[in-house]
Amino acid sequence: MTPPRIAPLEGIRVLELGNYIAAPTAGRLLADFGAEVIKVERPGTGDELRNWRLHKGDTSMLYRTINRNKKSVVLDLRTEAGKQAVLKLAAKSDILLENFRPGTLEKWGLGPEVLNEANPDLIITRISAFGQTGPLSERPGFAAVAEAYGGFRNLVGDPDRPPVRVGVSIGDSIAGLYAAFGSMMSLYQREARRGNAGGNAANAVPLTERVIDVALHEAMFSMMESLIPDYQAYGVDRQRVGGRMEGIAPSNAYICRDGASIVVAGNGDSIYQRYMQTIGRPDLAEDPALQSNAGRWDRREELDQAIGAWTAELDAADALAALDAAGVPAGPIYTAADISTDSQYAARNMVQKFDVSTGKEILPGVGFPGIVPVIGGESLPIRNLGPDLGENTTEILAGLLGMDPAEINAASGREEALQA
């Protein structure tokens, strides 16, 4: 018996006008849980993410990952036909996602007021570097700039070196999470008011409340915990502390005898006692000055030296086994190869395999990250990888909008291509 499909957002249609990572991440999250996400791409090149980290063919694994479970439609927004097609799609959608520079949609004649005329219930979620208002709103910026402006970059790296960047576009991804959350929050509000309105249009959510404004730098700033209150209340200006976490000790990465590194987070008061006993340092466990995080932070160098001396005498697997037996949170620092063969990831269906075409060959059994959060005990299955450019153009424009071939050619830019 085939298990029922788990798709909480089935019946919701999302129109994605975004490029790169932020808006497409929001679209991916909604698509993962059953929403129909129609991704609009420009003729010829499509989303520029198709070419990022491209090793073979014309569509990167990055694009395939972030745009999974979506449909790709090519529309030329420079043309009236393309613009009208977007408005018709908006009229049949619940949510519109975009991450253009503020003013771009308005320049194309597709600003919120115009979209609202096409669909007075449409939720319009906008992602930009600095938001839709304020003195910096019109300034362009990618996640790297937002991570720095939001206070994040200053805390990443070693104190005696310039700030570094983490190895993924974390600013875009967090903004995408907020965009998906904001979209669902607004959708809930809309549906709740509909349920309580008894058909009364006066209860409809006003446009101002249906425009969700996500700024990349604010998304990062919101992750900075007590950075600002600590500074404004106590004058504490947090700085980079390498592999540690400010005010929390001992918690760091340590090199083992076999050259592998492990992460150990032994900073809880009771955990700390077991931790020090495990590494053979009962004197540190019993020291009155080390019974609180504040005292341990003051002597973090001493603690890290003691722990590092212990791990240097053991292979990573043996050190982790000893820590696990003592109930001390610890783990390996995984690479892509490690994740690919790990039993925990496999048990929850978190690496899902697909055959992928590069256009010239089929790459069999390529693993892709599963869907988070888990529902029903394991990751839901990915329905399809990020589609080929324009793969669903005819299906959507003809099937959903009833457009004939000539209209489809005009809206998608094929007419210009044919004339050229």
Side-chain angles (χ1 to χ4, degrees):
M1 181 177 177
T2 303
R5 180 179 171 224
I6 299 175
L9 299 182
E10 194 164 33
I12 300 301
R13 181 175 291 126
V14 179
L15 182 59
E16 181 188 300
L17 303 183
N19 291 302
Y20 303 114
I21 295 176
T25 292
R28 186 207 77 195
L29 291 167
L30 301 175
D32 280 349
F33 292 97
E36 180 188 21
V37 178
I38 300 171
K39 180 178 180 65
V40 173
E41 301 188 68
R42 70 183 72 129
T45 57
D47 187 334
E48 288 186 37
L49 207 66
R50 289 182 178 275
N51 294 307
W52 285 20
R53 300 183 202 136
L54 180 63
H55 299 288
K56 285 186 176 182
D58 57 9
T59 302
S60 69
M61 295 298 179
L62 180 60
Y63 178 93
R64 299 286 191 199
T65 301
I66 291 179
N67 292 286
R68 68 191 185 196
N69 293 330
K70 301 178 187 177
K71 298 176 179 179
S72 171
V73 171
V74 168
L75 289 175
D76 190 345
L77 300 187
R78 300 169 301 174
T79 67
E80 185 62 24
K83 185 183 92 169
Q84 290 302 317
V86 165
L87 289 173
K88 290 176 182 178
L89 288 172
K92 293 180 176 290
S93 298
D94 298 283
I95 299 166
L96 181 143
L97 302 171
E98 67 101 353
N99 63 336
F100 298 111
R101 185 174 175 177
T104 300
L105 281 189
E106 288 81 354
K107 180 181 68 176
W108 289 339
L110 293 170
E113 290 76 15
V114 177
L115 292 167
N116 190 58
E117 289 179 11
N119 183 352
D121 287 326
L122 185 67
I123 294 156
I124 304 168
T125 299
R126 316 189 74 175
I127 308 175
S128 60
F130 296 100
Q132 302 296 317
T133 60
L136 300 183
S137 60
E138 295 184 3
R139 181 179 294 185
F142 280 170
V145 176
E147 290 162 19
Y149 200 86
F152 177 75
R153 183 74 74 93
N154 187 54
L155 299 186
V156 183
D158 294 311
D160 58 344
R161 297 184 181 183
V164 298
R165 189 179 188 187
V166 298
V168 293
S169 295
I170 193 73
D172 283 317
S173 298
I174 291 175
L177 283 165
Y178 273 118
F181 170 70
S183 297
M184 293 309 301
M185 177 178 61
S186 188
L187 184 66
Y188 174 81
Q189 180 189 33
R190 189 190 78 180
E191 296 306 301
R193 289 204 184 179
R194 279 180 177 175
N196 296 328
N200 185 357
N203 256 6
V205 180
L207 176 61
T208 53
E209 295 182 35
R210 285 183 283 110
V211 176
I212 308 301
D213 183 358
V214 179
L216 292 174
H217 80 286
E218 290 169 352
M220 292 308 302
F221 175 59
S222 75
M223 296 287 112
M224 299 311 297
E225 301 173 349
S226 60
L227 177 75
I228 294 302
D230 283 345
Y231 172 71
Q232 296 198 358
Y234 311 118
V236 175
D237 192 5
R238 286 182 59 185
Q239 299 298 319
R240 293 181 295 286
V241 290
R244 301 184 177 112
M245 178 66 71
E246 178 80 27
I248 297 173
S251 180
N252 211 335
Y254 306 94
I255 300 175
C256 296
R257 180 173 61 189
D258 55 2
S261 293
I262 63 172
V263 166
V264 190
N267 46 282
D269 290 347
S270 61
I271 294 172
Y272 170 74
Q273 300 296 322
R274 301 194 299 273
Y275 191 6
M276 292 301 101
Q277 297 291 343
T278 301
I279 70 169
R281 293 297 303 268
D283 57 313
L284 295 175
E286 298 163 3
D287 191 323
L290 299 175
Q291 301 310 301
S292 70
N293 242 315
R296 295 192 293 270
W297 178 253
D298 289 341
R299 291 168 61 182
R300 57 191 179 275
E301 296 291 350
E302 177 186 354
L303 291 173
D304 276 347
Q305 287 176 10
I307 298 163
W310 178 74
T311 60
E313 298 298 319
L314 296 169
D315 288 347
D318 296 329
L320 290 172
L323 293 165
D324 184 54
V328 177
I333 297 178
Y334 264 6
T335 65
D338 297 322
I339 293 172
S340 295
T341 58
D342 181 78
S343 59
Q344 177 66 23
Y345 281 97
R348 288 166 64 86
N349 196 31
M350 273 297 160
V351 178
Q352 301 182 26
K353 294 187 179 295
F354 291 83
D355 295 343
V356 183
S357 173
T358 66
K360 294 183 178 179
E361 60 180 321
I362 300 294
L363 305 178
V366 178
F368 288 82
I371 292 172
V372 178
V374 162
I375 302 176
E378 64 176 31
S379 171
L380 299 178
I382 298 168
R383 301 188 302 281
N384 59 272
L385 299 179
D388 292 336
L389 179 61
E391 183 176 323
N392 311 101
T393 300
T394 299
E395 170 198 342
I396 297 298
L397 299 187
L400 183 61
L401 301 186
M403 294 171 63
D404 62 35
E407 292 172 319
I408 292 173
N409 287 343
S412 63
R414 293 176 188 169
E415 190 174 72
E416 284 187 16
L418 289 172
Q419 291 174 352

